[in-house]
Amino acid sequence: MNQLVKPGRKLARQQLVVSLLVTLSLSLVMYFYWGFSYAQSALAGGVICIIPNVVFAYKAFKYAGASSSEKVMDSFYSGEKLKLGLTAFLFALAFKFLVIVPVPLFVTYFVVVISSLLTPILFKL
């Protein structure tokens, strides 16, 4: 493995762990306060955020180095396009096949997005 991608992969793993913890925590809170349908919706919202992020991280940190700079940029762009498309697809699947309560779904989705953005700050402390 290229030494240049190690910090990026480490951050991606940290973000995955934080995202999973936030998703499970919110799902449990929703379950105990509002019931199964809220918990299922919260879990779906977290999963809709996590899966595309994992796919993006895999694509984004595939290459590194100056000799691979074009491959790095291509993998970032293709990873981001795939992430956006997969997110839209997962939202569509959730609304089509699950009984969704929209508020917990979107709240959990946005909290997981925010937690992913805050992960680098949290792990530097």
Side-chain angles (χ1 to χ4, degrees):
M1 173 176 33
N2 190 325
Q3 295 297 319
L4 295 173
V5 298
K6 277 189 176 181
R9 286 185 178 174
K10 180 181 177 189
L11 177 61
R13 276 192 301 275
Q14 290 171 339
Q15 287 177 325
L16 175 62
V17 168
V18 168
S19 296
L20 286 170
L21 290 173
V22 167
T23 298
L24 294 174
S25 299
L26 285 173
S27 296
L28 284 172
V29 168
M30 299 277 180
Y31 179 75
F32 287 115
Y33 281 95
W34 293 286
F36 179 76
S37 61
Y38 277 68
Q40 180 184 15
S41 298
L43 188 62
V47 168
I48 289 170
C49 185
I50 292 169
I51 290 174
N53 283 337
V54 168
V55 171
F56 172 76
Y58 174 76
K59 294 280 286 179
F61 299 112
K62 201 172 187 179
Y63 305 104
S67 62
S68 302
S69 62
E70 193 171 308
K71 288 180 182 178
V72 170
M73 290 304 296
D74 287 344
S75 67
F76 262 79
Y77 285 132
S78 67
E80 187 60 30
K81 285 189 269 186
L82 187 59
K83 178 181 170 181
L84 291 172
L86 189 55
T87 300
F89 179 70
L90 290 173
F91 269 117
L93 284 179
F95 279 105
K96 177 141 179 95
F97 294 110
L98 299 175
V99 178
I100 293 294
V101 181
V103 171
L105 175 95
F106 289 115
V107 165
T108 304
Y109 177 81
F110 289 119
V111 169
V112 173
V113 167
I114 298 297
S115 71
S116 294
L117 297 173
L118 295 177
T119 300
I121 296 168
L122 296 173
F123 278 93
K124 283 199 178 196
L125 298 176

